[in-house]
């Protein structure tokens, strides 16, 4: 019973990721695509968590925090590039 | 005055960075020490520490980060390589072949019975090399105009 619920929720997250990929390819502006990528990262966290429950292992718990940190840093880097044109400045008070 | 760039205020990003930075560094140290019996190790721990410094570079700038962390990353890479080689050379003093490692159980204060392995010293070298190489690449690319 519980296994069925996990499989069904995996399918629902997969469908939501498919719609996000549609937004990623079709998105009229670049910020649309950046937000879609961020949401795909959050969906990957959910998929990893459910799969680690299905496989009955604790080995993927680190991966969840890792994807969260990487998605945050990547989104911040894209946002800074869109706003200022460069990701790492030499001197921000210049 | 007309073409002066408008200064943006990154106060939210900088405040969030100051909190999250320590979480990422503690997570990377956990990954480094968990590598013996669980997923983790020197490589992924070094990458997470480097990504914490990258987050600092994004939120501030190269000049400020050089003031906060005054480390020569090329020197850090060579120190890491030296630690890794010396951990292998050390086995010569006990009539063993190169890179043969050993472990023993010790009684440490606060931690109790702990298994300490010399493979951790080799992993420390990998950790320092990964931080040094990653930060050298990123800072070299970021500094060029």
């Amino acid at each position: 019973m519980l296994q069925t619920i996990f499989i069904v929720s995996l399918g629902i997250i997969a469908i939501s990721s498919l719609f996000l990929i549609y937004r990623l390819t079709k998105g009229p502006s670049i910020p649309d695509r950046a937000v879609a990528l961020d949401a795909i990262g959050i969906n990957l966290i959910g998929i990893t968590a459910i799969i680690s429950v299905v496989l009955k292992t604790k080995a993927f718990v680190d991966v969840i925090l890792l994807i969260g940190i990487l998605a945050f840093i990547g989104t911040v880097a894209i946002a800074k590039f869109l706003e200022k044109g460069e990701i790492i400045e030499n001197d921000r008070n210049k | 005055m007309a073409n002066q760039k408008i200064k943006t205020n990154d106060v939210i990003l900088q405040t969030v960075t100051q909190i999250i930075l320590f979480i990422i560094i503690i997570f990377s140290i956990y990954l480094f020490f968990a590598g013996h019996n669980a997923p983790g190790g020197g490589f992924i721990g070094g990458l997470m520490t480097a990504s914490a410094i990258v987050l600092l570079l994004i939120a501030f700038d190269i000049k400020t980060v050089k003031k906060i962390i005054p480390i020569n990353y090329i020197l850090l890479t060579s120190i890491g390589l030296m630690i890794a080689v010396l951990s292998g050379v050390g086995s010569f003093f006990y009539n063993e072949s190169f890179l043969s490692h050993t472990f023993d159980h010790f009684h440490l204060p606060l931690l109790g019975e702990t298994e300490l392995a010399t493979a951790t010293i080799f992993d420390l070298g990998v950790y320092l090399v990964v931080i040094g190489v990653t930060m050298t690449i990123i800072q070299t690319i970021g500094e060029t105009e």
Side-chain angles (χ1 to χ4, degrees), chain A residues 59-60 62-63 65-66 69-70 72-73 76-77 80 83-84 86-94, chain B residues 8 10 13-14 16 20 24 27 30-31 39 48 51 55 58 60-64 138 142-143 145:
Chain A
F60 298 137
D62 295 337
V63 180
L65 189 50
L66 198 78
I69 292 169
L70 289 185
F72 173 70
I73 294 177
V76 166
K80 188 157 180 192
E83 193 186 5
K84 294 192 177 171
E86 56 181 350
I87 296 177
I88 297 173
E89 298 161 287
N90 266 326
D91 192 355
R92 81 196 131 104
N93 295 322
K94 200 159 56 182
Chain B
T8 48
D10 297 338
L13 176 61
Q14 287 169 1
V16 166
I20 287 185
I24 302 179
F27 178 57
Y30 161 73
L31 277 178
M48 286 320 284
S51 67
L55 182 62
I58 292 174
F60 296 93
D61 50 43
I62 289 183
K63 213 174 148 192
T64 317
I138 288 172
E143 269 174 349
E145 290 290 319

Short mmCIF file of all heavy atoms in Angstrom, two decimals, chain A residues 59-60 62-63 65-66 69-70 72-73 76-77 80 83-84 86-94, chain B residues 8 10 13-14 16 20 24 27 30-31 39 48 51 55 58 60-64 138 142-143 145:
data_model
loop_
_atom_site.label_atom_id
_atom_site.label_comp_id
_atom_site.label_asym_id
_atom_site.label_seq_id
_atom_site.Cartn_x
_atom_site.Cartn_y
_atom_site.Cartn_z
N ALA A 59 21.69 6.08 2.29
CA ALA A 59 22.91 6.54 1.63
C ALA A 59 22.70 7.81 0.82
O ALA A 59 23.67 8.49 0.49
CB ALA A 59 23.45 5.43 0.71
N PHE A 60 21.43 8.15 0.51
CA PHE A 60 21.18 9.29 -0.36
C PHE A 60 20.84 10.56 0.43
O PHE A 60 20.48 11.57 -0.18
CB PHE A 60 20.05 8.98 -1.34
CG PHE A 60 20.37 7.85 -2.26
CD1 PHE A 60 19.42 6.88 -2.55
CD2 PHE A 60 21.61 7.74 -2.84
CE1 PHE A 60 19.72 5.83 -3.39
CE2 PHE A 60 21.92 6.70 -3.68
CZ PHE A 60 20.97 5.74 -3.95
N ASP A 62 22.74 12.56 2.12
CA ASP A 62 23.69 13.64 1.84
C ASP A 62 23.38 14.31 0.50
O ASP A 62 23.57 15.51 0.35
CB ASP A 62 25.12 13.10 1.83
CG ASP A 62 25.53 12.59 3.19
OD1 ASP A 62 24.91 13.05 4.16
OD2 ASP A 62 26.43 11.76 3.27
N VAL A 63 22.92 13.49 -0.46
CA VAL A 63 22.66 14.01 -1.81
C VAL A 63 21.58 15.09 -1.76
O VAL A 63 21.63 16.06 -2.51
CB VAL A 63 22.27 12.85 -2.74
CG1 VAL A 63 21.98 13.36 -4.13
CG2 VAL A 63 23.36 11.81 -2.78
N LEU A 65 20.82 17.34 0.64
CA LEU A 65 21.39 18.63 1.06
C LEU A 65 22.33 19.18 -0.02
O LEU A 65 22.36 20.39 -0.28
CB LEU A 65 22.15 18.44 2.38
CG LEU A 65 22.65 19.68 3.10
CD1 LEU A 65 21.54 20.69 3.24
CD2 LEU A 65 23.20 19.32 4.45
N LEU A 66 23.05 18.27 -0.69
CA LEU A 66 23.99 18.67 -1.74
C LEU A 66 23.26 19.33 -2.90
O LEU A 66 23.65 20.42 -3.36
CB LEU A 66 24.74 17.43 -2.22
CG LEU A 66 26.02 17.66 -2.99
CD1 LEU A 66 27.10 18.01 -2.01
CD2 LEU A 66 26.38 16.43 -3.76
N ILE A 69 22.05 22.86 -1.89
CA ILE A 69 23.11 23.88 -1.89
C ILE A 69 23.51 24.24 -3.32
O ILE A 69 23.63 25.42 -3.67
CB ILE A 69 24.33 23.36 -1.09
CG1 ILE A 69 23.98 23.24 0.39
CG2 ILE A 69 25.51 24.27 -1.26
CD1 ILE A 69 25.02 22.51 1.20
N LEU A 70 23.68 23.22 -4.18
CA LEU A 70 24.12 23.50 -5.56
C LEU A 70 23.06 24.28 -6.32
O LEU A 70 23.39 25.21 -7.08
CB LEU A 70 24.44 22.18 -6.27
CG LEU A 70 25.70 21.48 -5.81
CD1 LEU A 70 25.97 20.27 -6.67
CD2 LEU A 70 26.88 22.42 -5.85
N PHE A 72 20.87 26.35 -5.06
CA PHE A 72 20.89 27.74 -4.55
C PHE A 72 22.04 28.53 -5.16
O PHE A 72 21.84 29.65 -5.67
CB PHE A 72 21.00 27.72 -3.03
CG PHE A 72 21.18 29.08 -2.43
CD1 PHE A 72 20.16 30.00 -2.43
CD2 PHE A 72 22.40 29.45 -1.89
CE1 PHE A 72 20.33 31.26 -1.90
CE2 PHE A 72 22.59 30.70 -1.36
CZ PHE A 72 21.55 31.61 -1.36
N ILE A 73 23.26 27.95 -5.13
CA ILE A 73 24.42 28.69 -5.65
C ILE A 73 24.27 28.95 -7.15
O ILE A 73 24.55 30.04 -7.64
CB ILE A 73 25.72 27.93 -5.33
CG1 ILE A 73 25.95 27.91 -3.82
CG2 ILE A 73 26.91 28.57 -6.01
CD1 ILE A 73 27.15 27.14 -3.41
N VAL A 76 21.70 31.74 -7.72
CA VAL A 76 22.26 33.05 -7.36
C VAL A 76 23.24 33.53 -8.42
O VAL A 76 23.24 34.71 -8.80
CB VAL A 76 22.94 32.96 -5.97
CG1 VAL A 76 23.80 34.17 -5.72
CG2 VAL A 76 21.91 32.84 -4.88
N ALA A 77 24.05 32.58 -8.97
CA ALA A 77 25.02 32.97 -10.00
C ALA A 77 24.31 33.45 -11.26
O ALA A 77 24.68 34.47 -11.85
CB ALA A 77 25.94 31.79 -10.32
N LYS A 80 22.80 36.89 -10.62
CA LYS A 80 23.79 37.97 -10.61
C LYS A 80 24.29 38.26 -12.02
O LYS A 80 24.54 39.42 -12.37
CB LYS A 80 24.95 37.60 -9.71
CG LYS A 80 25.89 38.77 -9.54
CD LYS A 80 26.71 38.68 -8.29
CE LYS A 80 27.60 39.89 -8.22
NZ LYS A 80 28.62 39.78 -7.22
N GLU A 83 21.70 40.41 -13.72
CA GLU A 83 21.55 41.78 -13.22
C GLU A 83 22.77 42.64 -13.53
O GLU A 83 22.64 43.79 -13.92
CB GLU A 83 21.31 41.74 -11.71
CG GLU A 83 20.84 43.08 -11.18
CD GLU A 83 20.75 43.09 -9.67
OE1 GLU A 83 21.14 42.10 -9.04
OE2 GLU A 83 20.30 44.10 -9.14
N LYS A 84 23.98 42.09 -13.34
CA LYS A 84 25.19 42.92 -13.42
C LYS A 84 26.07 42.60 -14.62
O LYS A 84 27.02 43.31 -14.89
CB LYS A 84 26.02 42.76 -12.15
CG LYS A 84 25.29 43.32 -10.94
CD LYS A 84 26.20 43.44 -9.75
CE LYS A 84 25.45 44.06 -8.60
NZ LYS A 84 26.20 44.02 -7.36
N GLU A 86 28.25 40.30 -14.86
CA GLU A 86 29.39 39.48 -14.48
C GLU A 86 29.08 38.80 -13.15
O GLU A 86 28.36 39.34 -12.32
CB GLU A 86 30.67 40.31 -14.37
CG GLU A 86 30.55 41.48 -13.42
CD GLU A 86 31.82 42.29 -13.36
OE1 GLU A 86 32.83 41.83 -13.90
OE2 GLU A 86 31.79 43.37 -12.75
N ILE A 87 29.63 37.59 -12.99
CA ILE A 87 29.26 36.81 -11.79
C ILE A 87 30.18 37.17 -10.63
O ILE A 87 29.72 37.38 -9.51
CB ILE A 87 29.34 35.30 -12.11
CG1 ILE A 87 28.30 34.95 -13.18
CG2 ILE A 87 29.08 34.47 -10.87
CD1 ILE A 87 28.33 33.53 -13.63
N ILE A 88 31.50 37.25 -10.89
CA ILE A 88 32.47 37.56 -9.83
C ILE A 88 33.10 38.90 -10.14
O ILE A 88 33.82 39.04 -11.14
CB ILE A 88 33.53 36.44 -9.70
CG1 ILE A 88 32.84 35.14 -9.31
CG2 ILE A 88 34.57 36.81 -8.68
CD1 ILE A 88 33.76 33.96 -9.32
N GLU A 89 32.85 39.89 -9.29
CA GLU A 89 33.41 41.22 -9.54
C GLU A 89 34.81 41.32 -8.93
O GLU A 89 35.12 40.63 -7.96
CB GLU A 89 32.52 42.29 -8.92
CG GLU A 89 31.13 42.33 -9.50
CD GLU A 89 30.19 43.04 -8.56
OE1 GLU A 89 29.83 42.47 -7.52
OE2 GLU A 89 29.83 44.18 -8.87
N ASN A 90 35.61 42.22 -9.49
CA ASN A 90 36.92 42.46 -8.88
C ASN A 90 36.79 43.35 -7.65
O ASN A 90 37.34 43.05 -6.59
CB ASN A 90 37.84 43.12 -9.90
CG ASN A 90 38.68 42.11 -10.63
OD1 ASN A 90 39.07 41.10 -10.04
ND2 ASN A 90 38.94 42.33 -11.88
N ASP A 91 36.07 44.47 -7.80
CA ASP A 91 35.91 45.41 -6.69
C ASP A 91 34.53 46.03 -6.81
O ASP A 91 34.25 46.75 -7.75
CB ASP A 91 37.01 46.49 -6.77
CG ASP A 91 37.05 47.31 -5.49
OD1 ASP A 91 36.17 47.08 -4.63
OD2 ASP A 91 37.94 48.16 -5.37
N ARG A 92 33.65 45.72 -5.84
CA ARG A 92 32.26 46.16 -6.03
C ARG A 92 32.07 47.61 -5.65
O ARG A 92 31.04 48.21 -5.93
CB ARG A 92 31.33 45.25 -5.22
CG ARG A 92 31.22 45.58 -3.75
CD ARG A 92 30.61 44.43 -3.00
NE ARG A 92 31.43 44.13 -1.83
CZ ARG A 92 31.05 44.48 -0.60
NH1 ARG A 92 29.92 45.07 -0.39
NH2 ARG A 92 31.84 44.22 0.42
N ASN A 93 33.07 48.26 -4.99
CA ASN A 93 32.93 49.66 -4.59
C ASN A 93 33.55 50.61 -5.61
O ASN A 93 33.72 51.80 -5.33
CB ASN A 93 33.57 49.89 -3.22
CG ASN A 93 32.83 49.11 -2.16
OD1 ASN A 93 31.61 49.01 -2.20
ND2 ASN A 93 33.56 48.52 -1.22
N LYS A 94 33.93 50.06 -6.78
CA LYS A 94 34.63 50.91 -7.75
C LYS A 94 33.61 51.79 -8.48
O LYS A 94 32.56 51.33 -8.83
CB LYS A 94 35.42 50.03 -8.73
CG LYS A 94 36.51 50.79 -9.44
CD LYS A 94 37.56 49.83 -9.97
CE LYS A 94 37.02 48.76 -10.88
NZ LYS A 94 38.02 47.84 -11.34
N THR B 8 23.69 48.87 -6.83
CA THR B 8 22.64 47.97 -6.35
C THR B 8 22.94 47.60 -4.90
O THR B 8 24.10 47.58 -4.49
CB THR B 8 22.57 46.71 -7.20
OG1 THR B 8 23.89 46.21 -7.37
CG2 THR B 8 21.97 47.01 -8.55
N ASP B 10 22.84 44.71 -2.28
CA ASP B 10 22.73 43.25 -2.16
C ASP B 10 22.58 42.79 -0.71
O ASP B 10 23.09 41.75 -0.34
CB ASP B 10 23.99 42.58 -2.74
CG ASP B 10 24.14 42.86 -4.21
OD1 ASP B 10 23.13 43.17 -4.83
OD2 ASP B 10 25.26 42.75 -4.72
N LEU B 13 21.13 39.15 -0.14
CA LEU B 13 22.08 38.11 -0.55
C LEU B 13 23.25 38.01 0.42
O LEU B 13 23.67 36.91 0.82
CB LEU B 13 22.59 38.40 -1.96
CG LEU B 13 23.65 37.46 -2.50
CD1 LEU B 13 23.11 36.05 -2.58
CD2 LEU B 13 24.14 37.91 -3.85
N GLN B 14 23.78 39.19 0.86
CA GLN B 14 24.94 39.14 1.74
C GLN B 14 24.59 38.60 3.13
O GLN B 14 25.37 37.85 3.73
CB GLN B 14 25.55 40.54 1.84
CG GLN B 14 26.28 40.92 0.56
CD GLN B 14 26.67 42.36 0.50
OE1 GLN B 14 26.41 43.10 1.44
NE2 GLN B 14 27.26 42.77 -0.60
N VAL B 16 22.07 36.47 3.82
CA VAL B 16 21.83 35.03 3.69
C VAL B 16 23.15 34.28 3.56
O VAL B 16 23.34 33.21 4.15
CB VAL B 16 20.91 34.77 2.46
CG1 VAL B 16 20.92 33.31 2.07
CG2 VAL B 16 19.51 35.21 2.78
N ILE B 20 24.43 30.97 5.60
CA ILE B 20 24.51 29.69 4.88
C ILE B 20 25.94 29.21 4.75
O ILE B 20 26.21 28.01 4.75
CB ILE B 20 23.82 29.84 3.50
CG1 ILE B 20 22.32 29.91 3.70
CG2 ILE B 20 24.16 28.70 2.57
CD1 ILE B 20 21.55 29.94 2.44
N ILE B 24 27.29 25.30 4.99
CA ILE B 24 27.97 24.57 3.92
C ILE B 24 29.32 24.06 4.40
O ILE B 24 29.71 22.92 4.12
CB ILE B 24 28.14 25.45 2.66
CG1 ILE B 24 26.78 25.94 2.18
CG2 ILE B 24 28.81 24.67 1.55
CD1 ILE B 24 26.88 26.82 0.96
N PHE B 27 28.88 21.16 6.71
CA PHE B 27 28.47 20.00 5.90
C PHE B 27 29.67 19.39 5.19
O PHE B 27 29.80 18.16 5.12
CB PHE B 27 27.39 20.45 4.90
CG PHE B 27 26.93 19.36 3.97
CD1 PHE B 27 26.41 18.19 4.46
CD2 PHE B 27 27.00 19.53 2.60
CE1 PHE B 27 25.98 17.20 3.62
CE2 PHE B 27 26.57 18.54 1.75
CZ PHE B 27 26.06 17.38 2.25
N TYR B 30 31.74 17.52 7.66
CA TYR B 30 31.06 16.25 7.96
C TYR B 30 31.30 15.23 6.86
O TYR B 30 31.62 14.06 7.13
CB TYR B 30 29.56 16.49 8.14
CG TYR B 30 28.75 15.23 7.99
CD1 TYR B 30 28.76 14.26 8.98
CD2 TYR B 30 28.02 14.97 6.84
CE1 TYR B 30 28.06 13.09 8.83
CE2 TYR B 30 27.32 13.81 6.68
CZ TYR B 30 27.34 12.87 7.68
OH TYR B 30 26.65 11.71 7.53
N LEU B 31 31.17 15.69 5.58
CA LEU B 31 31.40 14.78 4.45
C LEU B 31 32.82 14.25 4.45
O LEU B 31 33.07 13.08 4.16
CB LEU B 31 31.14 15.51 3.13
CG LEU B 31 29.71 15.61 2.65
CD1 LEU B 31 29.65 16.40 1.37
CD2 LEU B 31 29.11 14.25 2.43
N PRO B 39 28.95 7.46 2.42
CA PRO B 39 29.27 8.28 1.25
C PRO B 39 29.92 9.59 1.65
O PRO B 39 29.51 10.23 2.63
CB PRO B 39 27.91 8.52 0.60
CG PRO B 39 27.08 7.39 1.04
CD PRO B 39 27.55 7.02 2.39
N MET B 48 32.72 20.97 -1.74
CA MET B 48 31.71 21.74 -0.99
C MET B 48 32.35 22.95 -0.33
O MET B 48 31.75 24.04 -0.28
CB MET B 48 31.02 20.86 0.06
CG MET B 48 30.05 19.87 -0.49
SD MET B 48 29.06 20.51 -1.84
CE MET B 48 27.93 21.51 -0.92
N SER B 51 32.77 25.46 -2.97
CA SER B 51 31.51 26.10 -3.35
C SER B 51 31.07 27.11 -2.30
O SER B 51 30.42 28.12 -2.64
CB SER B 51 30.41 25.07 -3.58
OG SER B 51 30.08 24.45 -2.38
N LEU B 55 30.34 30.96 -3.16
CA LEU B 55 29.16 31.75 -2.74
C LEU B 55 29.59 33.08 -2.14
O LEU B 55 28.98 34.13 -2.38
CB LEU B 55 28.35 30.93 -1.73
CG LEU B 55 27.06 31.58 -1.23
CD1 LEU B 55 26.11 31.80 -2.38
CD2 LEU B 55 26.40 30.73 -0.18
N ILE B 58 30.52 35.34 -4.96
CA ILE B 58 29.37 35.89 -5.68
C ILE B 58 28.74 37.02 -4.88
O ILE B 58 28.39 38.06 -5.43
CB ILE B 58 28.35 34.76 -5.97
CG1 ILE B 58 28.91 33.77 -6.97
CG2 ILE B 58 27.05 35.35 -6.51
CD1 ILE B 58 28.04 32.57 -7.18
N PHE B 60 30.11 38.91 -2.47
CA PHE B 60 30.98 40.07 -2.27
C PHE B 60 31.84 40.21 -3.53
O PHE B 60 31.31 40.06 -4.63
CB PHE B 60 31.82 39.88 -1.01
CG PHE B 60 30.98 39.83 0.24
CD1 PHE B 60 30.55 38.62 0.75
CD2 PHE B 60 30.60 41.00 0.88
CE1 PHE B 60 29.75 38.58 1.88
CE2 PHE B 60 29.82 40.95 2.02
CZ PHE B 60 29.39 39.75 2.52
N ASP B 61 33.13 40.48 -3.42
CA ASP B 61 33.98 40.55 -4.60
C ASP B 61 35.34 39.94 -4.27
O ASP B 61 35.61 39.55 -3.13
CB ASP B 61 34.14 42.00 -5.08
CG ASP B 61 34.52 42.91 -3.94
OD1 ASP B 61 35.37 42.50 -3.16
OD2 ASP B 61 33.98 44.02 -3.84
N ILE B 62 36.20 39.85 -5.29
CA ILE B 62 37.48 39.15 -5.11
C ILE B 62 38.34 39.86 -4.06
O ILE B 62 38.99 39.22 -3.23
CB ILE B 62 38.21 39.06 -6.46
CG1 ILE B 62 37.48 38.06 -7.36
CG2 ILE B 62 39.65 38.62 -6.28
CD1 ILE B 62 38.16 37.83 -8.69
N LYS B 63 38.32 41.21 -4.08
CA LYS B 63 39.17 41.97 -3.15
C LYS B 63 38.78 41.70 -1.70
O LYS B 63 39.65 41.45 -0.84
CB LYS B 63 39.00 43.46 -3.47
CG LYS B 63 40.24 44.29 -3.23
CD LYS B 63 39.98 45.69 -3.72
CE LYS B 63 40.74 46.70 -2.88
NZ LYS B 63 40.28 48.07 -3.16
N THR B 64 37.46 41.70 -1.40
CA THR B 64 37.00 41.45 -0.04
C THR B 64 37.31 40.02 0.40
O THR B 64 37.75 39.81 1.53
CB THR B 64 35.48 41.69 0.05
OG1 THR B 64 35.17 42.88 -0.66
CG2 THR B 64 35.03 41.82 1.48
N ILE B 138 38.75 29.19 -10.59
CA ILE B 138 37.65 30.17 -10.54
C ILE B 138 38.19 31.58 -10.37
O ILE B 138 37.73 32.53 -11.03
CB ILE B 138 36.67 29.78 -9.41
CG1 ILE B 138 35.89 28.55 -9.84
CG2 ILE B 138 35.71 30.91 -9.11
CD1 ILE B 138 35.06 27.96 -8.78
N GLY B 142 37.82 34.66 -12.93
CA GLY B 142 37.08 35.84 -12.47
C GLY B 142 37.90 37.12 -12.52
O GLY B 142 37.34 38.21 -12.68
N GLU B 143 39.24 37.02 -12.41
CA GLU B 143 40.05 38.23 -12.35
C GLU B 143 40.25 38.87 -13.72
O GLU B 143 40.46 40.06 -13.82
CB GLU B 143 41.43 37.92 -11.74
CG GLU B 143 41.46 38.11 -10.24
CD GLU B 143 42.77 37.66 -9.65
OE1 GLU B 143 43.56 37.03 -10.36
OE2 GLU B 143 43.00 37.96 -8.47
N GLU B 145 39.72 40.69 -17.09
CA GLU B 145 38.71 41.68 -17.50
C GLU B 145 38.20 41.36 -18.90
O GLU B 145 38.96 41.18 -19.81
CB GLU B 145 39.32 43.08 -17.48
CG GLU B 145 39.60 43.58 -16.07
CD GLU B 145 38.32 43.88 -15.31
OE1 GLU B 145 37.39 44.45 -15.92
OE2 GLU B 145 38.24 43.56 -14.12
#
